[in-house]
Amino acid sequence: MISTLRSEWIKLRTVRMNWVLAAIAVAFPLVITVLTTLLVDNDDMNSGDVVGLVTGTSVVTGMLLGVIGAAGITGEFGFGTIRPTFAATPKRSRVIVAKAIVTVVVGAVVEAVMVAICFGIGSAILNSRGGDISLGGADGEQAALIGIVCFAAIVSLLGLGLGLLIRSTPAAVAVLILWPLVGEGLIGALLSAAGVDNAFKWLPYQAGFNLGNPDAGQTTDSLGRWTGGLYFFVVTAVIAAVGAWSTSTRDA
C-alpha cells in the first residue's frame, strides 16, 4: 500500500496543472484578504469579520482543490494511463483508496496552510493599524477555521468521486462547480415554492458551507456546523463509493 500511495503522490505533484490550480487556490483568498484589511476601516472589522472573510473566500479554494481531485482521475482515464496502473496493481480498490487518501490529505493541507497564512496576514495588517484581532474570542471563530479545512477535504473527495463516475474532466468539473452555484439554487427555489420549509438546509452543498460559517447553527435555517458537515460528508462518501464500485466493475 505504501508503494501505491507513493505512486499516487508522484502522479499528483508532477502534473503542472495541479500546481497552477493550487497556486490560484491560495492566491485568490490571500489577495482578497490583504486588499480588504488594507482598505477597510479598522472599526468596521473584528476577529469574527476576519474569520468570515477568510472562510468565505476559502470556499473557492475548496472548489479548486475539488477540481484537482476530479482531474487526477479523469486525466488518467482520458490518456489511458489508468490501464498500466491497474495492470501493476490488479486490486483496483487499493489504487482508488490510495488516490482518495492522497487527494484528501493534499486538499486538507493546502487549505490549512492557506487559512493560516490569510488569517495571520489579515490580522497582522489590522493590528498594525491599531486593531485588536486574535483568535481568543468566540469558539465559533476557531471552529469555522477548522471547519473550512474539513470542507476542502470533503470537496476534494467529492471531485475524485465524480471523476470516477463520469470519467470526463470537463463534465466532472462542470458538475462539481455548477451544482452548488446553479443546481442547488434551482432545486431549493422549487422546493420552497412547493411549500417545503427551510428547503435549502437539506441540500448537501448548502449544508457543507456551514462548516466555514462562524455563525452556523444560530438559526433554524441550517443543520448547524458539524451536523451539516457530516451530512455533506455522507453524501460525498456515497458518491465516492458508487464511483469506486463503478471503476472496479467497468473496463478501464
Side-chain angles (χ1 to χ4, degrees):
M1 187 63 180
I2 297 300
S3 60
T4 307
L5 286 169
R6 186 181 298 113
S7 173
E8 295 305 323
W9 164 239
I10 292 172
K11 292 177 186 177
L12 189 68
R13 67 179 174 83
T14 53
V15 176
R16 184 177 301 174
M17 184 188 75
N18 293 342
W19 287 99
V20 173
L21 289 172
I24 297 173
V26 173
F28 175 78
L30 180 58
V31 170
I32 298 299
T33 300
V34 169
L35 290 177
T36 302
T37 52
L38 280 174
L39 300 176
V40 74
D41 191 329
N42 275 1
D43 296 333
D44 294 336
M45 290 199 79
N46 54 33
S47 60
D49 296 325
V50 177
V51 169
L53 174 65
V54 172
T55 58
T57 53
S58 295
V59 170
V60 176
T61 302
M63 303 293 287
L64 290 173
L65 293 171
V67 172
I68 292 176
I73 182 64
T74 55
E76 288 211 61
F77 281 119
F79 290 104
T81 56
I82 196 68
R83 296 188 183 93
T85 297
F86 285 155
T89 309
K91 194 172 183 179
R92 295 185 178 185
S93 60
R94 180 174 296 179
V95 175
I96 295 169
V97 169
K99 283 185 178 293
I101 292 173
V102 171
T103 300
V104 170
V105 170
V106 168
V109 169
V110 172
E111 184 80 11
V113 170
M114 186 279 305
V115 166
I117 292 174
C118 286
F119 184 83
I121 292 178
S123 59
I125 291 173
L126 289 173
N127 288 339
S128 69
R129 297 172 58 206
D132 184 19
I133 307 298
S134 69
L135 275 179
D139 291 339
E141 297 171 6
Q142 300 177 27
L145 294 177
I146 296 172
I148 199 65
V149 174
C150 296
F151 173 80
I154 295 172
V155 175
S156 297
L157 180 62
L158 178 60
L160 176 64
L162 290 172
L164 289 169
L165 273 174
I166 301 174
R167 297 190 174 190
S168 165
T169 301
V173 171
V175 172
L176 181 71
I177 302 297
L178 294 180
W179 176 255
L181 297 179
V182 179
E184 289 197 352
L186 291 175
I187 292 174
L190 290 173
L191 291 176
S192 297
V196 178
D197 294 332
N198 299 323
F200 281 94
K201 76 178 184 180
W202 298 106
L203 299 175
Y205 253 109
Q206 300 303 316
F209 287 150
N210 283 311
L211 282 166
N213 182 4
D215 301 321
Q218 295 185 7
T219 68
T220 58
D221 294 337
S222 74
L223 295 175
R225 186 188 322 284
W226 303 118
T227 302
L230 179 61
Y231 173 51
F232 184 42
F233 171 73
V234 169
V235 173
T236 297
V238 170
I239 293 173
V242 173
W245 172 81
S246 174
T247 300
S248 296
T249 56
R250 291 161 61 188
D251 291 336

